[in-house]
Amino acid sequence: MPGAGGAAARLLIRASSDAPVDTGRLPARDAARRELSKGAYHENDPNLLQRALDHLWTWFGDVLAAASGATPGGVAGLTVLLLIVIALAAALRWRLGAPQTGSRPADALFPDGPRSTADHRAAAEAHAAAGRWNQAVQERMRAIVRVLEERALLDPRPGRTADEAAAEAGLSLPPHAARLRAAARVFDDVTYGGRVADRTSYVTLNDLDLAVESARPQLTRDREGADG
């Protein structure tokens, strides 16, 4: 009965197609991963930077929560503590001056090139008359160094700093060595440290300028005799 055999075969085929497929756990997981990795599922995902920022804010929030829990007064106590730290940092910065952001230029003492002592003194007096004490102090320090160079107590040397000039001049003018170093510190504080000069600072440098102009240098022979 060939017809009956063909019908039976067709019945078996239909039954096998209707049977459920039992897929293993691992193949099913892999298939799900492959499906979910398609770009269509991630079009609206945050980018890498956004995810990093989200993690950072989450971490920062956890730190603040832990700190507020450990600080007496909770969040209010932590806020007061932060304000105290900020105030101390501001006071320390004001006391020490602004940090230097780079190396000093080689010709910082004479940024426009050396001029005569008279030119620097005239500029200092003009700044002082206008109440520009920072510039007045700077020009008066330059006048001090220039008068020492004009008196041959210092060799003219481009790039010399105020500290170097004070140290070298102190060897020839020992009675004024301490005042020269102090003047150099004032110049550095005003020029590099963000400090603000005042009339007292200017008058101090002005008096030193007039003093070193007529001071008698102590030569090597004089120092050796004094030491002996």
Side-chain angles (χ1 to χ4, degrees):
M1 302 189 303
R10 287 193 296 272
L11 182 60
L12 289 173
I13 292 173
R14 183 179 302 168
S16 64
S17 63
D18 292 339
V21 178
D22 186 10
T23 305
R25 179 182 301 172
L26 293 179
R29 184 178 62 186
D30 294 339
R33 285 179 177 174
R34 286 194 298 271
E35 179 65 22
L36 293 176
S37 65
K38 294 179 179 179
Y41 294 99
H42 302 279
E43 292 178 354
N44 298 321
D45 287 356
N47 57 33
L48 181 60
L49 177 60
Q50 185 62 48
R51 292 198 298 272
L53 290 175
D54 290 342
H55 286 301
L56 178 61
W57 282 116
T58 301
W59 172 83
F60 187 66
D62 293 341
V63 171
L64 285 180
S68 62
T71 304
V75 176
L78 179 61
T79 302
V80 173
L81 181 61
L82 289 175
L83 291 176
I84 293 174
V85 171
I86 293 172
L88 289 175
L92 183 61
R93 185 181 186 278
W94 178 85
R95 178 66 180 85
L96 298 180
Q100 299 178 19
T101 57
S103 58
R104 303 176 184 176
D107 57 348
L109 189 57
F110 299 105
D112 301 322
R115 293 177 291 166
S116 68
T117 301
D119 289 337
H120 287 296
R121 285 174 176 169
E125 291 169 0
H127 287 306
R132 297 186 294 266
W133 300 116
N134 279 18
Q135 294 88 334
V137 162
Q138 290 170 327
E139 288 298 329
R140 187 58 68 173
M141 184 65 199
R142 292 172 182 133
I144 292 172
V145 175
R146 283 299 293 146
V147 74
L148 291 171
E149 291 177 347
E150 291 174 357
R151 294 189 62 197
L153 299 180
L154 287 177
D155 295 328
R157 189 176 74 230
R160 177 190 277 122
T161 65
D163 293 327
E164 292 170 344
E168 294 172 20
L171 298 177
S172 300
L173 302 172
H176 301 288
R179 297 174 65 190
L180 286 166
R181 290 194 299 270
R185 282 196 299 272
V186 172
F187 178 89
D188 289 344
D189 288 343
V190 168
T191 306
Y192 311 114
R195 301 294 295 273
V196 178
D198 54 18
R199 184 179 183 278
T200 301
S201 303
Y202 175 73
V203 170
T204 300
L205 267 72
N206 181 63
D207 292 343
L208 178 61
D209 181 18
L210 299 178
V212 299
E213 183 180 29
S214 57
R216 178 178 179 271
Q218 183 171 334
L219 303 179
T220 304
R221 242 177 346 190
D222 297 335
R223 291 198 297 269
E224 290 175 352
D227 294 339

